[in-house]
Each structure stands twice: as C-alpha cells, then as structure tokens.
C-alpha cells in the first residue's frame, strides 16, 4: 500500500443519473460494503492495493453501464495530518467490527465458565451455544467482506479469529460434558474469557453496514495500473 515511504490512495469519483434513485442507492451500498471513505459527495478514497484497484475498476464499469460516469485516480496526500485522520477513521470502522466479534466471544466464554462451575449442560444450552457460535461466524465473515485494508487490520482480524477458535474448542468439549477439560481450556485462555468490557454492547463507528444488493460478490476484472 506504500511506495518509497509515501502512502498511495485510490480515489473514485462518479456521477450517476438522478433517476431512478435505486441506481444511486446501489452504488452507495457498494461503497459502504467496501468501507470506502467519503471525502465528499460522490468522491471516495481507499488505501491502494491491487484488490481495491480491481474492486474500484469493477464498480466504475458498473456505473458506466448504468449510464453514469466514473473516474479512478491514484493520489497521495499533501497533508500528513489529513491522511492520518482519514486512515484512522477507516481503521476505527473495521477494527470495531472485529472487536465486536471478540466481545461476543468473551460473553460466550464467560457463560461457559458459569456452566463448568455448575457442571451443567443440556440440549437447550447446546442449541443456544450453537446459535451464538453460528452468529459470531457470520459477524466475522461480514467483517472480512467489508475489510480491504490488508495489513492495517491484521492484528484485529487475527484476534477475532483466535477468539472464535477458542469458543469452538470449548463448545466441542462441553458437548461431551468433559467439564474438567473445559475448565483447563478456559483457564488457559483466561484473557479471552475475561476480556475487558465484555458486557458492553459494541457498535461500529461507521454505523450498520448494508448487505450487498445480491448474494454474488463483486467480480474482479484483470488488474491494470491506474
């Protein structure tokens, strides 16, 4: 994403027909799902990567196909403070999504601690834990789908994946009612079980991310330079 110490950005500027309004909404949703930063109306930024270039090129093509105009520029910031402000805003959004996964896992594991102490497990609890685990997987996949920041979000992404792995291990052991092994697992992963602020509800500073208009991912044409 950086070249000779200078950070490169890709800027997408576009214009779509005012009618029908669904076209404008569709483009907006695509950009929200990419986590792009709105520099101003119809001007969006993301740190450069080959993946972002492919996605922006595909979106520009889609905009042109609907009768609109779109241009992609490779840019660098002249003001470091502005660049850092924008980058931090992007990171806050993506990291918040991963942190939400970690906090749900913390509640999952805290509940497991209670059950292990009581040596309690039944079909209803298994169904509840299974449903929570499925939801946390969905949240993680959604966070990954919206994340095109690469190494910038690597730590938060890895933490969320590790928290999920611990939940899966504990769940498998509880299913066979091996409370002694479950206790050892929970003790070994104390930092995940008693994560700070685990009881708090966490939302993304970017608000809820709308889902893609279709279930198909954005296609990626062959890469070419801007």
């Amino acid at each position: 994403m950086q070249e000779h110490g200078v950070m490169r950005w890709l800027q997408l500027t576009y214009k779509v027909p005012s009618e029908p309004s669904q076209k404008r909404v569709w483009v907006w949703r695509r950009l929200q799902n990419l986590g792009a930063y709105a520099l101003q109306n119809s001007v969006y930024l993301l740190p450069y990567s080959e993946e972002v270039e492919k996605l922006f090129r595909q979106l520009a093509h889609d905009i042109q196909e609907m009768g609109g105009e779109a241009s992609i520029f490779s840019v660098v910031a002249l003001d470091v403070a502005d660049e850092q402000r924008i980058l931090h805003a992007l990171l806050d959004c993506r990291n918040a999504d991963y942190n939400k996964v970690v906090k749900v896992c913390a509640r999952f594991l805290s509940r497991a601690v209670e059950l292990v102490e009581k040596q309690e497990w039944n079909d209803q609890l298994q169904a509840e834990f299974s449903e929570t685990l499925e939801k946390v997987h969905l949240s993680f996949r959604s966070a990954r789908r919206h994340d095109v920041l690469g190494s910038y979000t690597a730590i938060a992404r890895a933490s969320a994946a590790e928290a999920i792995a611990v939940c899966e291990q504990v769940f498998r052991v509880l299913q066979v009612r091996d409370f002694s092994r479950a206790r050892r697992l929970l003790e070994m992963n104390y930092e995940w079980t008693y994560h700070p602020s685990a009881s708090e509800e966490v939302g993304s500073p970017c608000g809820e991310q709308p889902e893609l208009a279709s279930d198909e991912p954005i296609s990626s044409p062959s890469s070419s330079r801007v």
Side-chain angles (χ1 to χ4, degrees):
M1 290 186 185
Q2 298 190 17
E3 186 174 301
H4 305 300
V6 177
M7 184 171 181
R8 291 178 59 193
W9 295 78
L10 287 182
Q11 175 183 294
L12 173 68
T13 303
Y14 71 93
K15 180 170 66 176
V16 295
S18 58
E19 296 295 337
S21 61
Q22 289 91 333
K23 292 182 178 180
R24 288 185 288 106
V25 173
W26 184 88
V27 174
W28 179 83
R29 285 179 174 169
R30 289 279 178 164
L31 288 163
Q32 289 295 302
N33 274 279
L34 289 178
Y37 182 87
L39 188 62
Q40 55 182 274
N41 189 35
S42 300
V43 181
Y44 284 80
L45 287 172
L46 276 173
Y48 171 82
S49 70
E50 291 185 359
E51 179 186 7
V52 170
E53 181 181 332
K54 290 178 182 179
L55 293 170
F56 266 9
R57 284 185 178 277
Q58 178 61 44
L59 182 53
H61 172 77
D62 292 338
I63 290 170
Q64 291 161 0
E65 286 289 301
M66 65 175 65
E69 301 174 6
S71 301
I72 303 171
F73 298 93
S74 175
V75 300
V76 296
L78 297 181
D79 189 316
V80 175
D82 277 346
E83 178 175 76
Q84 290 301 306
R85 173 179 56 81
I86 293 171
L87 181 59
H88 288 159
L90 292 172
L91 289 174
D92 285 346
C93 292
R94 301 286 70 82
N95 287 340
D97 291 339
Y98 291 123
N99 290 340
K100 182 177 180 179
V101 170
V102 171
K103 289 177 184 293
V104 172
C105 286
R107 291 196 291 270
F108 179 104
L109 295 170
S110 295
R111 175 63 172 148
V113 169
E114 296 175 3
L115 296 174
V116 167
E117 292 303 317
K118 297 177 182 177
Q119 296 200 0
E120 178 183 353
W121 189 256
N122 54 47
D123 291 343
Q124 181 179 346
L125 289 169
Q126 179 165 320
E128 291 174 1
F129 271 58
S130 178
E131 182 180 1
T132 299
L133 200 53
E134 182 178 354
K135 287 180 179 179
V136 83
H137 273 289
L138 288 172
S139 293
F140 182 71
R141 287 198 293 269
S142 178
R144 286 291 304 272
R145 187 167 62 248
H146 298 146
D147 182 10
V148 292
L149 296 181
S151 61
Y152 287 104
T153 52
I155 293 176
R157 185 166 59 248
S159 294
E162 186 175 349
I164 292 173
V166 173
C167 289
E168 290 176 333
Q169 287 180 316
V170 171
F171 180 60
R172 285 195 294 270
V173 174
L174 285 174
Q175 283 180 295
V176 296
R177 293 176 170 79
D178 190 341
F179 296 111
S180 296
R181 187 180 174 195
R183 181 179 290 106
R184 289 195 299 272
L185 276 172
L186 290 165
E187 290 173 350
M188 288 171 56
N189 294 281
Y190 179 91
E191 70 277 14
W192 297 113
T193 307
Y194 299 103
H195 190 277
S197 303
S199 61
E200 296 177 3
E201 291 295 330
V202 179
S204 170
C206 303
E208 292 299 320
Q209 292 280 7
E211 293 301 317
L212 293 174
S214 75
D215 291 331
E216 295 296 324
I218 301 175
S219 58
S220 297
S222 59
S223 176
S224 59
R225 290 292 172 187
V226 174

